[in-house]
């Protein structure tokens, strides 16, 4: 059983702190009243004495070189220019042009978390002089809280630095104006150092319909900064910005990554200075004048997560382990879902929807979601947003006939909302045009024919909360697909000030309040697909919609890389129509289902057009999903490094290494006829496993089996990991799952 110690407070902060968890060490220099500086963030260092820690600190003090400051530069978690740091500062702000370069002195240091030991500091005599030896604090997963002030600048700061049980480091800063007059906060950025051997950057780009596109570059002198100015996370968000040793891959290669857990404007950056110092960091991106602190007021920045690991899979698993440890993480089996958007769009007809529900239930679907078009004036996407009343013209008896039919068929009922948006052609906008976010009294340019509702206005917030509460309560809604279909352009409050910060907090508050009112109620974060995927929104939601594009060829990439942050059970992954509605490409059901099953499986398809053979195959895929979802949603992610870009090998291995499910996906035609052996990584080397290909219906088409398929198919974990098995010859755009079971 984990023991938790009472917080250890040091009135005279003068300590070296060594935190260790899950193979990671974090060493902090909190001496001489200075802000904490990271001495080491990386592989676990084992037990360290006070002398060891002092030596570690001394070993990192660089020599003074020509034409530089006359003392070694000390890089705090909140970087300070007064210490000679010429990179991105931790705090950027001013008081009418003054107090723009604070120098903080620590006033208190608290450490709390798992049981730890403290060796107090002491005066020691050596040959030269007496010196103060700092206290040594050793702890497992723990939180270090530092309070510091600068009376001259009239500022106070609170820093929280936490090493989580999963080995993630997260930190955040809060700034308080303790002086007279207004202090304008322009930027608060936390930073973590990375060693000079880390010289390759991996982050993500993307657009609507093609989110999480990986991109690599060299870390050169200067700053690699990714700004999100869309008022939401964005389809092109960096997601996890990593810097690693050149050539790092899924299996190996040290990487140090950073993620800003915020759904509004934000920054991620990697920086290399002329002197060789390197950092990764992040924070909220504040618009001009967005945060102006009166005396006694505080701005609190978001959590910024740091993820060190040997290999991208190990890094992803740190995020997954942390998310799965949260009390609000979904514990029930992720229900097989159908969303009716691509089946009916705005054409809501009770008979047609009942038929779709009946077909779904026969196949084993467990949740039925009615998408956009159920509320007043909503026959297309030009009107109605904000009028959250069931449209009497389309639903004269309300949603009750459909809801009762769905529930009688044994399924949950879900509903689409877009609470943060409003159409100008709506009763709401006509009654309250002042609730529309805008700058300087003019409406922003429209996007998807809509504007943004200012939820920071209390009356607007209460209206949306009341309408959503009424609908959810009346129909006992189990699940809401929460959409957000435009960027926040010129997003301001009455009077013209920027208000993205307030809007983001209001959206979080609205989600949290609905969750409090309706225990067990679930929310999906959808934002033009995958434009709001981050660890801020996932604190309030139960899955994300990866992309509006569910073409399986595109989803092979998007699901693969969204898992760098989120585990499979949080990724909405649906089986598309034969002819994809976004790309126009046609794919066999086996490729569509074989791709979608590695996630939170669903359907986005007019089942009335499915053939009898497709229905049989679909029912078998759904049955397989239900059989393996505890493994899919509780195992460790494995992505095998491939030389051939036309092939993916990936899967999940149970924590006890007794069970695994791997997928071989052919993405196109290779320049060679046979691609050679495939390996199944991270199995127990001394256990013997049976490998069973899983071919459902047309999944056998275009597959030429290797000889070993006709044998007993039993191999050691060492053989499967190090040598591998000859791959089947596959046509382009095929998936073959393999169940790997200990014997």
């Amino acid at each position: 059983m984990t023991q938790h110690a009472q917080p250890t407070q040091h009135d005279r902060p003068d300590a070296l702190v060594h935190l260790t968890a899950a193979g990671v060490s974090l060493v902090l220099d909190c001496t001489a009243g200075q802000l904490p500086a990271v001495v080491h963030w990386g592989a676990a260092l084992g037990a360290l004495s006070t002398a060891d820690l002092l030596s570690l600190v001394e070993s990192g003090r660089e020599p003074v070189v020509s034409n530089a400051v006359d003392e070694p530069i000390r890089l705090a978690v909140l970087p300070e220019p007064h210490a000679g740091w010429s990179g991105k500062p931790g705090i950027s702000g001013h008081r009418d042009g003054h107090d723009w370069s604070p120098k903080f002195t620590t006033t208190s240091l608290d450490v709390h978390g798992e049981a730890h030991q403290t060796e107090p500091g002491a005066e020691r005599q050596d040959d030269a002089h007496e010196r103060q030896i700092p206290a040594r604090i050793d702890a497992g997963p723990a939180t270090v809280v530092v309070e510091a002030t600068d009376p001259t600048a009239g500022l106070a700061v609170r820093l929280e630095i936490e090493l989580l049980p999963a080995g993630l480091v997260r930190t955040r800063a809060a700034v308080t104006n303790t002086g007279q007059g207004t202090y304008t906060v322009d930027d608060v950025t936390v930073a973590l150092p990375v060693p000079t051997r880390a010289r390759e950057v991996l982050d993500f780009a993307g657009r609507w319909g093609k989110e999480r596109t990986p991109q690599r570059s060299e870390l050169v002198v200067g700053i690699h900064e990714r700004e999100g100015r869309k008022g939401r996370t964005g389809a092109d968000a960096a997601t996890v910005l990593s810097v690693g040793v050149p050539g790092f891959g899924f299996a190996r290669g040290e990487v140090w990554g950073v993620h800003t857990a915020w759904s509004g404007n934000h920054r991620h950056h990697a920086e290399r200075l002329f002197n060789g110092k390197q950092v990764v960091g992040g924070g909220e991106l504040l618009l001009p004048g967005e945060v102006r602190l009166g005396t006694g007021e505080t701005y609190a920045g978001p959590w910024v997560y740091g993820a060190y690991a040997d290999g991208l899979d190990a890094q992803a698993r740190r995020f997954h382990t942390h998310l799965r440890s949260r009390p609000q993480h979904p514990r029930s089996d992720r229900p097989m879902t159908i969303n009716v958007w691509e089946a009916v769009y705005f054409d809501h007809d009770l008979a047609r929807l009942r038929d779709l529900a009946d077909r779904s239930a026969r196949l084993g679907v467990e949740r039925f979601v009615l998408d956009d078009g159920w509320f007043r004036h909503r026959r297309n996407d030009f009107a109605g947003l904000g009028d959250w009343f069931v449209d009497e013209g389309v639903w004269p008896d309300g949603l009750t006939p459909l809801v009762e039919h769905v529930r009688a068929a044994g399924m949950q009922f879900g509903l689409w909302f877009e609470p943060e948006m409003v159409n100008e052609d709506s009763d709401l906008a006509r009654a309250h045009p002042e609730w529309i976010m805008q700058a300087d009294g003019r409406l922003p340019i429209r996007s998807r024919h809509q504007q943004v509702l200012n939820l920071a206005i209390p009356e607007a917030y209460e209206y949306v909360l009341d309408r959503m509460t009424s609908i959810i309560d009346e129909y006992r809604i189990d699940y809401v697909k929460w959409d957000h279909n435009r960027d926040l352009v010129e997003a301001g409050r009455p009077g013209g000030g920027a208000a993205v910060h307030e809007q983001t907090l209001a959206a979080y508050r609205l989600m949290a309040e609905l969750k409090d009112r309706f225990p067990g109620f679930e929310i999906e974060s959808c934002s033009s697909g995958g434009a709001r995927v981050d660890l801020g929104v996932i604190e309030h939601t139960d899955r994300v919609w990866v992309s509006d594009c569910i073409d399986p060829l595109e989803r092979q990439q998007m699901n693969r890389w969204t898992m760098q942050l989120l585990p499979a059970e949080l990724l909405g992954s649906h089986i598309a129509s034969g002819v994809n509605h976004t790309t126009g490409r046609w794919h066999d059901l086996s490729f569509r289902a074989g791709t979608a099953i590695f996630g939170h499986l669903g359907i986005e398809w007019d089942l009335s057009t499915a053939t009898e053979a497709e229905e049989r195959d679909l029912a078998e895929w759904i049955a397989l999903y239900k059989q393996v979802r505890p493994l899919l949603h509780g195992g460790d992610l494995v992505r095998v490094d491939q030389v051939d870009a036309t092939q993916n090998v990936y899967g999940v291995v149970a924590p006890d290494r007794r069970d695994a499910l791997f997928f071989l996906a052919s993405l196109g035609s290779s320049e060679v006829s046979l691609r050679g052996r495939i390996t199944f990584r991270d199995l127990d080397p001394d256990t013997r496993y049976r490998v069973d290909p899983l071919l459902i219906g047309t999944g056998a088409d275009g597959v030429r089996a290797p000889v070993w398929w006709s044998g007993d198919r039993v191999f050691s974990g060492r053989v499967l990991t190090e040598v591998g098995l000859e791959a089947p010859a596959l046509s382009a755009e095929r998936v073959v799952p393999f169940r790997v079971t200990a014997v």
Side-chain angles (χ1 to χ4, degrees):
M1 178 180 292
T2 299
Q3 294 185 354
H4 295 274
Q6 293 297 316
T8 299
Q9 184 168 4
H10 299 265
D11 295 326
R12 183 185 182 279
D14 194 32
L16 297 174
V17 181
H18 180 201
L19 308 180
T20 305
V24 173
S25 277
L26 179 68
V27 179
L28 299 173
D29 176 2
C30 304
T31 60
Q34 302 171 101
L35 291 182
V38 174
V39 178
H40 171 77
W41 167 43
L45 300 179
L48 297 175
S49 67
T50 301
D52 292 333
L53 288 173
L54 286 169
S55 297
L56 185 62
V57 172
E58 291 298 323
S59 72
R61 298 192 193 280
E62 73 273 8
V64 175
V65 296
S66 299
N67 203 30
V69 294
D70 293 341
E71 297 178 14
I73 296 171
R74 187 177 187 278
L75 172 62
V77 173
L78 203 60
E80 299 174 288
H82 77 80
W85 175 254
S86 60
K88 192 173 184 64
I91 293 180
S92 179
H94 64 96
R95 193 187 312 275
D96 195 22
H98 300 277
D99 304 328
W100 52 273
S101 183
K103 181 179 181 180
F104 291 103
T105 300
T106 300
T107 57
S108 71
L109 167 66
D110 295 341
V111 179
H112 51 89
E114 291 193 7
H116 62 267
Q117 64 179 11
T118 300
E119 178 183 288
E123 298 286 349
R124 290 194 184 171
Q125 181 81 34
D126 60 23
D127 293 339
H129 57 272
E130 289 188 357
R131 57 177 178 165
Q132 176 73 30
I133 302 300
R136 187 186 90 245
I137 303 172
D138 298 319
T143 303
V144 178
V145 180
V146 171
E147 305 273 1
T149 63
D150 179 351
T152 301
L155 294 175
V157 68
R158 175 185 172 92
L159 268 174
E160 295 174 74
I161 306 165
E162 185 172 5
L163 181 62
L164 297 165
L168 292 174
V169 173
R170 66 178 184 179
T171 181
R172 63 182 175 184
V175 180
T176 300
N177 177 15
T178 61
Q180 298 301 310
T182 299
Y183 189 86
T184 300
V185 179
D186 295 324
D187 190 20
V188 174
T189 298
V190 295
L192 298 168
V194 297
T196 54
R197 64 182 179 274
R199 293 296 306 281
E200 187 174 345
V201 179
L202 169 68
D203 61 4
F204 299 91
R207 58 171 174 80
W208 178 83
K210 198 172 179 64
E211 292 86 340
R212 256 74 64 198
T213 301
Q215 55 185 18
R216 288 187 184 241
S217 60
E218 181 185 359
L219 179 61
V220 297
V221 171
I223 188 166
H224 176 89
E225 186 166 31
R226 298 292 308 282
E227 293 188 340
R229 293 180 174 269
K230 302 176 183 299
R232 56 178 175 169
T233 321
D236 61 343
T239 309
V240 180
L241 187 155
S242 293
V243 181
V245 297
F248 63 86
F250 293 123
R252 60 186 57 89
E254 288 184 297
V255 287
W256 291 261
V258 67
H259 170 79
T260 300
W262 184 247
S263 306
N265 294 335
H266 63 281
R267 287 190 174 102
H268 298 82
H269 76 280
E271 188 169 17
R272 177 176 169 86
L273 269 60
F274 71 97
N275 54 21
K277 289 184 178 291
Q278 300 183 167
V279 298
V280 291
E284 183 180 6
L285 189 156
L286 297 173
L287 297 176
E290 193 166 18
V291 174
R292 291 166 52 82
L293 302 178
T295 301
E297 293 182 336
T298 299
Y299 163 76
W303 283 113
V304 177
Y305 285 75
Y308 164 80
D310 186 8
L312 289 168
D313 280 355
Q315 183 192 63
R317 291 176 193 173
R318 294 201 188 280
F319 286 114
H320 300 179
T321 300
H322 166 64
L323 290 167
R324 287 169 174 168
S325 72
R326 301 170 304 147
Q328 75 270 34
H329 191 73
R331 303 295 171 196
S332 61
D333 288 340
R334 297 294 77 210
M336 175 65 200
T337 298
I338 186 167
N339 187 75
V340 304
W341 175 243
E342 289 193 4
V344 302
Y345 290 101
F346 292 107
D347 184 15
H348 285 200
D349 175 79
L350 179 58
R352 186 179 179 190
L353 288 166
R354 278 176 166 168
D355 176 68
L356 192 55
D358 291 340
R359 293 173 184 272
S360 301
R362 287 197 298 269
L363 293 171
V365 171
E366 298 161 313
R367 175 184 285 164
F368 183 97
V369 182
L370 183 65
D371 209 285
D372 193 359
W374 57 268
F375 48 96
R376 286 179 184 167
H377 315 123
R378 193 64 169 176
R379 304 281 51 82
N380 51 49
D381 59 3
F382 289 82
L385 277 180
D387 296 340
W388 303 114
F389 299 84
V390 176
D391 193 317
E392 300 88 342
V394 178
W395 299 96
D397 299 314
L399 297 178
T400 299
L402 178 61
V403 173
E404 290 182 347
H405 190 85
V406 166
R407 289 230 165 84
M411 295 182 288
Q412 298 177 7
F413 187 84
L415 195 61
W416 183 94
F417 279 92
E418 195 172 3
E420 297 150 86
M421 300 295 157
V422 61
N423 286 123
E424 292 171 54
D425 184 4
S426 67
D427 292 342
L428 179 64
R430 284 184 284 271
H432 292 286
E434 74 280 7
W435 289 359
I436 298 176
M437 298 190 85
Q438 54 194 279
D440 299 326
R442 64 173 181 271
L443 288 179
I445 188 171
R446 297 186 192 97
S447 180
R448 204 175 183 250
H449 321 296
Q450 65 194 49
Q451 299 287 2
V452 183
L453 190 68
N454 191 339
L455 293 181
I457 298 173
E459 295 81 5
Y461 177 92
E462 290 299 327
Y463 165 79
V464 174
L465 176 61
D466 176 72
R467 291 311 314 145
M468 292 188 73
T469 297
S470 177
I471 295 292
I472 294 168
D473 185 50
E474 179 178 358
Y475 297 108
R476 296 181 293 115
I477 303 299
D478 300 291
Y479 170 91
V480 160
K481 180 179 179 182
W482 188 302
D483 219 333
H484 183 282
N485 273 311
R486 65 156 295 167
D487 295 340
L488 274 59
V489 178
E490 292 192 315
R493 65 175 72 88
V500 174
H501 175 76
E502 294 176 357
Q503 180 78 357
T504 307
L505 292 176
Y508 288 164
R509 191 167 66 252
L510 181 60
M511 293 175 184
E513 192 153 358
L514 288 169
K515 286 265 195 169
D516 286 342
R517 292 185 177 191
F518 301 101
F521 162 75
E522 294 191 359
I523 298 174
E524 175 183 46
S525 172
C526 177
S527 186
S528 308
R532 188 150 68 178
V533 175
D534 59 78
L535 296 190
V537 78
I538 210 66
E539 285 299 295
H540 307 285
T541 58
D542 303 277
R543 80 168 190 167
V544 301
W545 186 228
V546 175
S547 176
D548 280 342
C549 177
I550 47 177
D551 180 316
L553 189 59
E554 303 294 343
R555 277 299 189 103
Q556 279 284 330
Q557 171 198 285
M558 293 186 289
N559 287 4
R560 180 180 185 84
W561 287 108
T562 304
M563 288 185 192
Q564 197 60 37
L565 183 66
L566 303 180
E569 65 267 28
L570 298 181
L571 306 188
S573 186
H574 288 191
I575 300 169
S577 306
V579 177
N580 188 265
H581 289 210
T582 304
T583 65
R585 282 194 289 247
W586 181 89
H587 288 113
D588 183 83
L589 175 57
S590 67
F591 187 54
R592 288 142 52 201
T595 296
I597 195 173
F598 196 24
H600 179 178
L601 185 63
I603 298 170
E604 198 98 7
W605 178 15
D606 183 357
L607 294 175
S608 68
T609 65
T611 66
E612 290 186 11
E614 286 176 325
E615 285 190 355
R616 285 195 303 271
D617 290 357
L618 187 53
E620 196 169 343
W621 279 107
I622 292 171
L624 176 63
Y625 169 72
K626 291 179 179 180
Q627 177 190 349
V628 300
R629 63 184 164 189
L631 173 62
L632 286 172
H633 298 162
D636 292 335
L637 173 68
V638 176
R639 293 163 295 182
V640 179
D641 293 292
Q642 294 295 121
V643 175
D644 193 325
T646 68
Q647 178 172 276
N648 280 348
V649 179
Y650 55 94
V652 63
V653 178
D656 65 2
R657 300 295 182 260
R658 302 288 295 173
D659 197 6
L661 186 67
F662 281 92
F663 298 83
L664 168 64
S666 172
L667 308 182
S669 298
S670 177
E671 77 276 10
V672 293
S673 57
L674 295 173
R675 297 182 176 102
R677 292 176 180 261
I678 56 173
T679 57
F680 299 146
R681 216 185 67 235
D682 288 2
L683 300 170
D684 178 65
D686 298 319
T687 297
R688 294 177 63 78
Y689 295 90
R690 180 180 175 88
V691 181
D692 293 312
L694 305 177
L695 298 177
I696 294 174
T698 56
D701 297 348
V703 178
R704 295 188 181 183
V707 174
W708 65 267
W709 282 24
S710 59
D712 63 6
R713 302 195 296 277
V714 175
F715 310 90
S716 73
R718 185 172 280 105
V719 166
L720 292 172
T721 297
E722 301 296 339
V723 181
L725 306 174
E726 185 67 27
L730 300 182
S731 300
E733 298 166 9
R734 289 288 188 276
V735 170
V736 177
F738 296 88
R739 189 71 184 265
V740 181
T741 311
V743 298

